[in-house]
Amino acid sequence: MVLNDLFSQDLKVVSLGNQGFADELKSVGVEVTHLSWEPPARGQVELIAALEQLSHREDIDAANEEAFKRYAESQPVLVDIGRAIDVIAGMTPDTILHAGPPLTWERMSGPMRGAVIGALIYEGRATTPEEAEKIAASGAVTFSPCHEHGAVGPMAGIISPSMPVFIIHNQTYGNDAYCTLNEGLGKVLRYGAYSNEVIERLKWMEKVLAPSLKKAIRLSGGIDLRALIAQALHMGDELHNRNKAATSLFIRAIAPYLIRAELPGDDLVDILNFINGNDHFFLNLSMPAAKAMLDAAHGIKGSTMVTTMARNGTEFGIRVSGLPGRWFTGPAQMVKGLYFPGYNEADANPDIGDSAITETAGIGGFAMAAAIAIVQFVGGTPGDALGYSRRMYEITLKENPYFSIPIFDFRGTPTGIDVRKVVETNILPQINTGIAHREAGVGQVGAGLVNPPWECFAAALLALAGEYGRGGSGQPGSSKK
């Protein structure tokens, strides 16, 4: 009787895993509660074996403790500004650094090609875009990733020899990191624009802005960027796409020294107006600060901690502390977000830029819960912002000892992406970012959210298993040396 009663009732189904099964039931009027679930490592036997090799190992745990400790103890301080060729190791008159993993001119996306064209015009090596393209394609220019020279660059990430760069010194471990000065939004070199106004702005930054800031920074004795980042997180920034508070804090820190530098009155006004009118100015400080901290954690044998996430508009690449000198890549993904009037997804280039170094360091998309207003720029809801940050705790080693989220009772931001956890949980890092037009010379067209490709982490896990797994025979997959 009980069994007959059961079959006479309306079905109420809990579906686990396959969304298609739930959809079929819903199509015939069945009430379904679907639970999204995937087996660890997406059910791939080779990856599951690698996870088993790398789990519950004291040597790997100790290596991750050391890598995280070196990151956490790092104190990045803005100490100077210099010319790229004078301060960045490996730069030559023919070198142009770019965002993301290695690539050639032939494989560069539109915005990166546009930025290279602009850089060659800026350097005086070309007078027209056509001439610049010929030089870039001729082999006369050496292209190299910023990350392989202690540097980072937003979006296209181009650094050419004459460009002024911030110098960030890690006072704990002695390493330096570099980044160009932020141009502002709109038609700018980092988004692939190279019109006369772009070049003129870069020249003003080289001749006026950089020397003036250099004097002020030296007079200040150095500016503690970690402290500014920690404070800005409590004021509504996440330090990737929202830098309003951090830029304001920087103005407060640098303004007295700009005045003491005895600059020409018109220059002082122009400089303060330029920084004040550019809410993203601090991005080019948060990025090298993160880079300086993470570089100190790179090269720890056995560590599964990710120390780089970067995109070149063609590929997305990661680097892992325990596998120095190697990139693990996959195709750059399309960003989902909000577009400026007149643009849509058809105009967008795939994900690009070194600015994902902020997420790698536990800020940016990992700290969106501290900057709920960011959803007005990148899309989503306040609830989404909270959810993204909560989810990142599942794939990271620890809570950040310095960067915290007020709405989470000042819980430290999720920090230290663990390759093992990404593959085991199938949760990919959350990144918020700008969107560049796919064609050279146009510029920014929006902002949004994106995740790295799965392939990066799967390949890194197999390489780690091959390197450190007991009895493992994992292969590097799509890694690059």
Side-chain angles (χ1 to χ4, degrees):
M1 181 67 179
V2 174
L3 189 60
N4 289 337
D5 289 344
L6 175 64
F7 282 106
S8 66
Q9 296 175 11
D10 291 337
L11 286 176
K12 294 183 179 179
V13 178
V14 175
S15 172
L16 181 66
N18 191 331
Q19 178 69 49
F21 180 68
D23 292 340
E24 285 292 329
L25 290 173
K26 288 180 181 179
S27 71
V28 295
V30 176
E31 182 181 339
V32 180
T33 300
H34 180 68
L35 301 179
S36 180
W37 179 82
E38 283 185 294
R42 297 186 176 178
Q44 297 182 25
V45 175
E46 187 180 19
L47 292 173
I48 292 172
L51 285 172
E52 291 176 352
Q53 292 173 12
L54 299 174
S55 297
H56 311 298
R57 288 190 50 172
E58 292 183 1
D59 56 341
I60 290 178
D61 291 341
N64 283 334
E65 283 285 339
E66 177 64 19
F68 192 91
K69 172 176 171 286
R70 289 176 67 87
Y71 159 84
E73 289 181 348
S74 293
Q75 188 169 1
V77 177
L78 172 61
V79 295
D80 208 346
I81 289 177
R83 213 168 58 124
I85 195 170
D86 297 330
V87 298
I88 298 179
M91 285 286 286
T92 73
D94 295 321
T95 301
I96 289 183
L97 304 184
H98 62 78
L103 84 169
T104 60
W105 169 258
E106 291 73 23
R107 299 184 65 239
M108 285 184 184
S109 63
M112 186 170 286
R113 284 191 172 207
V116 170
I117 290 169
L120 290 171
I121 294 173
Y122 164 78
E123 292 287 344
R125 296 188 61 173
T127 57
T128 67
E130 294 75 19
E131 185 181 355
E133 286 190 83
K134 288 181 180 178
I135 294 171
S138 70
V141 176
T142 300
F143 297 108
S144 187
C146 291
H147 270 290
E148 295 183 0
H149 298 262
V152 281
M155 302 310 291
I158 297 303
I159 303 177
S160 64
S162 300
M163 289 182 179
V165 292
F166 287 123
I167 303 172
I168 284 71
H169 182 66
N170 185 337
Q171 289 192 333
T172 310
Y173 292 101
N175 59 294
D176 292 335
Y178 313 93
C179 189
T180 53
L181 282 60
N182 194 282
E183 309 157 80
L185 294 176
K187 289 187 179 298
V188 290
L189 187 79
R190 71 179 186 276
Y191 280 98
Y194 50 79
S195 62
N196 288 338
E197 65 177 289
V198 173
I199 305 304
E200 288 172 4
R201 185 189 305 114
L202 289 172
K203 285 297 181 182
W204 175 81
M205 293 171 69
E206 177 190 344
K207 303 299 184 184
V208 178
L209 178 64
S212 301
L213 284 175
K214 180 183 182 74
K215 292 179 183 177
I217 292 165
R218 287 188 167 187
L219 285 170
S220 75
I223 297 174
D224 185 345
L225 297 180
R226 188 178 68 182
L228 288 187
I229 290 170
Q231 189 174 356
L233 284 167
H234 293 178
M235 298 170 67
D237 280 358
E238 41 70 66
L239 283 306
H240 185 166
N241 270 290
R242 188 174 175 87
N243 289 277
K244 291 177 181 287
T247 298
S248 299
L249 291 170
F250 178 73
I251 291 174
R252 289 183 60 185
I254 201 67
Y257 301 103
L258 283 170
I259 294 170
R260 284 179 54 188
E262 299 181 346
L263 307 174
D266 289 344
D267 287 351
L268 178 61
V269 171
D270 289 343
I271 290 166
L272 289 173
N273 281 336
F274 179 78
I275 299 173
N276 184 58
N278 177 9
D279 288 336
H280 277 65
F281 190 83
F282 194 84
L283 173 63
N284 291 46
L285 290 168
S286 65
M287 286 175 57
K291 171 69 171 170
M293 298 171 76
L294 287 162
D295 270 3
H298 193 63
I300 307 300
K301 182 177 175 61
S303 174
T304 59
M305 178 174 154
V306 176
T307 50
T308 302
M309 294 195 297
R311 318 85 100 205
N312 58 32
T314 303
E315 290 181 318
F316 192 112
I318 68 170
R319 300 194 304 170
V320 181
S321 177
L323 298 169
R326 298 173 71 173
W327 287 92
F328 300 90
T329 64
Q333 305 295 291
M334 297 304 297
V335 182
K336 302 295 183 182
L338 302 178
Y339 286 84
F340 299 159
Y343 298 104
N344 57 44
E345 289 185 3
D347 301 305
N349 195 78
D351 193 21
I352 185 170
D354 285 336
S355 54
I357 194 69
T358 56
E359 280 83 7
T360 319
I363 49 180
F366 283 46
M368 284 180 67
I372 293 175
I374 191 68
V375 299
Q376 295 178 307
F377 188 57
V378 301
T381 67
D384 291 335
L386 299 177
Y388 292 139
S389 292
R390 287 195 181 101
R391 198 163 171 79
M392 294 302 97
Y393 287 107
E394 299 184 48
I395 61 171
T396 46
L397 294 170
K398 292 192 176 187
E399 296 179 15
N400 200 296
Y402 295 103
F403 306 148
S404 61
I405 300 175
I407 201 169
F408 288 169
D409 293 329
F410 295 95
R411 184 180 183 185
T413 66
T415 305
I417 301 166
D418 187 341
V419 167
R420 299 172 302 173
K421 292 184 178 183
V422 173
V423 176
E424 181 179 8
T425 63
N426 303 306
I427 297 172
L428 292 169
Q430 186 62 59
I431 298 166
N432 61 47
T433 187
I435 303 174
H437 197 284
R438 60 185 176 82
E439 296 178 1
V442 178
Q444 185 179 11
V445 295
L449 302 167
V450 71
N451 302 107
W454 163 262
E455 294 92 324
C456 300
F457 300 92
L461 183 78
L462 292 176
L464 286 161
E467 189 83 11
Y468 307 114
R470 293 191 180 104
S473 60
Q475 299 300 312
S478 60
S479 69
K480 294 184 177 180
K481 292 189 178 183

